[in-house]
């Protein structure tokens, strides 16, 4: 009798764990496939100036869970609808040792890259606006969707 109860209890325990878990966070891998970072930054700044947008420079790598997580949120319909009219986004691969594209990190005041992702928001002229917050995204995968959304919505108002 007890032998027959053990599988049932185990099955109920597992189903309780499954229903209590949070849904998986979206992930994307945009960094390794990104074209020339310097040219992409310059093109984004040009487009931002023409459209009165800001620029998000996302320094990260596909091997980084937090970089993939933040990039994944950006691809969701909710984020895309908020980001597209406000920002030009550039994915900048920093490589496993975080020295790839170090010249761009220095150009925007975040060299050396201490952790990934490092997220710099600039005005259309390329002036960094969030340097104190930029390196703080190393915990992006553990932040809530609403906190991330609110942060970029707040910075996305261009009155430059």
């Amino acid at each position: 009798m007890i032998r027959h109860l053990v599988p049932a209890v185990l099955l109920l325990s597992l189903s309780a764990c499954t229903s209590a878990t949070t849904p998986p966070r979206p992930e994307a891998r945009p960094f390794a496939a990104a074209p020339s970072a310097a040219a992409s930054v310059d093109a984004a700044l040009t487009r931002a100036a023409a459209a009165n947008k800001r620029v998000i420079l996302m320094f990260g790598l596909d091997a980084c869970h937090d970089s993939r997580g933040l990039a994944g949120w950006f691809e969701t319909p909710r984020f895309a609808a908020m980001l597209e009219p406000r920002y030009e986004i550039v994915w900048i691969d920093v490589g496993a040792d975080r020295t790839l594209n170090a010249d761009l990190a220095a150009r925007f005041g975040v060299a050396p890259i201490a952790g990934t992702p490092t997220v710099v928001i600039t005005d259309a002229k390329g002036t960094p606006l969030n340097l104190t917050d930029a390196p703080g995204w190393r915990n992006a995968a553990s932040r809530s969707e609403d906190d991330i959304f609110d942060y970029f919505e707040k910075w996305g108002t261009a009155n430059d």
Side-chain angles (χ1 to χ4, degrees), residues 1-155:
M1 170 101 167
I2 293 177
R3 220 175 18 161
H4 297 290
L5 288 176
V6 171
V9 169
L10 182 59
L11 183 60
L12 285 172
S13 298
L14 289 175
S15 66
C17 290
T18 303
S19 64
T21 60
T22 58
R25 294 177 181 268
E27 286 195 354
R29 298 177 185 268
F31 296 95
S36 166
S40 295
V41 168
D42 292 338
L45 289 169
T46 299
R47 289 190 307 271
N52 193 31
K53 292 183 178 183
R54 292 197 168 160
V55 178
I56 296 174
L57 304 175
M58 186 82 68
F59 292 89
L61 67 154
D62 286 343
C64 170
H65 173 68
D66 291 296
S67 296
R68 290 191 318 266
L70 188 55
W73 283 122
F74 278 24
E75 289 184 357
T76 65
R78 177 184 183 207
F79 277 80
M82 181 269 295
L83 293 167
E84 192 282 323
R86 298 173 179 176
Y87 293 103
E88 293 292 329
I89 302 170
V90 183
W91 307 100
I92 303 170
D93 189 356
V94 298
D97 64 357
R98 298 188 304 260
T99 60
L100 183 63
N101 293 307
D103 56 330
L104 285 174
R107 176 178 164 188
F108 292 99
V110 291
I113 296 290
T116 56
T118 294
V119 181
V120 177
I121 298 172
T122 75
D123 63 17
K125 296 173 188 152
T127 304
L129 303 172
N130 71 326
L131 286 180
T132 56
D133 299 341
W137 286 92
R138 297 184 299 201
N139 66 352
S142 63
R143 292 187 184 195
S144 77
E145 175 183 356
D146 288 339
D147 288 343
I148 295 169
F149 187 91
D150 292 347
Y151 181 86
F152 289 100
E153 185 177 48
K154 174 188 79 166
W155 280 104

